[in-house]
Amino acid sequence: MQNEHCFATAAQGLAGRTDSPWEWMPPSKYHGGYLVRRNVTIPSSSQSGSSITSERERDECPINEQDPARLGEQHGHDDMCVAELHVLFSQVFNVPVMYFNIYQPDGMLVMRGDLLERMPELQTASSWANLTQAEHPVLGLPFFLLHPCNTQGFMNTLLPQATCSSNMYLHSWISLVETSLQLPPSSQSCYGCYQSETS
């Protein structure tokens, strides 16, 4: 992706689609605009059956079944975690960066160790994106992120810059990140998102 202006144009196009779950947060004089996707529900257990919440955390924080905060869980959502995703542009690396947090059914933040247990590929040396935690550049709150240091090289291999539009790049990158984080896809296919611009 060439620069922040290209990112903003592609991101606003994505957020403007009627079937898109992404929302565009406009820029201010202190920061650029960014994408937000809220209330992404994911199973609290991975496909292998291991829980995203650790046994230690459950022992240390026993849940009171009579707690009014748990009343909404009686409708089948007690086994679901909720993720919030933010896509910002890194002026240092000239690539989009995914900031995210995942919350347990009781509202507690899922810890880094439990995320890595669920997604061990994010801590291997060969991974295109390593999981880290840092302050959100706009909100000033701790968020997880996939460090962008290897993103440009990986995406250049996947989509050569000479044949890749900003829309194609952003949609492909988001699909790749959602797959890496085991999240439900936010669009049916990358091809359908940018088909009109190539026809």
Side-chain angles (χ1 to χ4, degrees):
M1 186 161 285
Q2 296 175 338
N3 53 49
E4 188 168 10
H5 174 73
C6 293
F7 165 76
T9 301
Q12 289 178 73
L14 172 61
R17 291 171 53 88
T18 56
D19 60 344
S20 175
W22 292 96
E23 177 185 359
W24 174 250
M25 307 301 291
S28 74
K29 65 178 182 178
Y30 301 108
H31 61 79
Y34 60 100
L35 286 168
V36 176
R37 183 182 175 199
R38 297 184 173 92
N39 300 320
V40 183
T41 55
I42 54 176
S44 60
S45 298
S46 65
Q47 292 179 350
S48 64
S50 60
S51 174
I52 199 169
T53 57
S54 68
E55 293 293 336
R56 175 184 55 78
E57 289 173 334
R58 287 194 290 272
D59 291 341
E60 292 177 356
C61 304
I63 297 174
N64 181 358
E65 297 296 336
Q66 303 302 317
D67 188 342
R70 290 180 54 83
L71 291 179
E73 298 174 0
Q74 60 186 342
H75 301 292
H77 299 290
D78 56 333
D79 61 342
M80 302 298 286
C81 290
V82 176
E84 180 167 329
L85 317 175
H86 293 194
V87 179
L88 293 86
F89 187 80
S90 169
Q91 294 183 337
V92 174
F93 294 96
N94 271 344
V95 294
V97 183
M98 179 71 76
Y99 288 79
F100 67 96
N101 275 330
I102 300 178
Y103 301 92
Q104 300 170 13
D106 61 2
M108 297 292 290
L109 183 68
V110 173
M111 305 307 290
R112 185 176 187 273
D114 297 314
L115 285 176
L116 289 176
E117 183 177 344
R118 181 186 174 93
M119 298 170 279
E121 64 276 6
L122 296 181
Q123 63 180 334
T124 62
S126 60
S127 175
W128 69 273
N130 290 311
L131 182 69
T132 187
Q133 192 172 28
E135 181 179 292
H136 191 290
V138 177
L139 304 180
L141 300 172
F143 268 67
F144 292 107
L145 69 144
L146 300 182
H147 198 279
C149 59
N150 295 322
T151 300
Q152 189 170 48
F154 185 87
M155 292 300 293
N156 286 345
T157 302
L158 186 66
L159 295 170
Q161 292 262 353
T163 60
C164 178
S165 69
S166 296
N167 287 346
M168 184 187 301
Y169 185 104
L170 183 62
H171 287 288
S172 299
W173 175 83
I174 286 177
S175 295
L176 177 66
V177 172
E178 288 171 337
T179 300
S180 297
L181 296 179
Q182 302 176 16
L183 298 173
S186 56
S187 62
Q188 291 183 350
S189 71
C190 292
Y191 178 73
C193 293
Y194 56 76
Q195 183 179 19
S196 60
E197 73 180 49
T198 58
S199 59

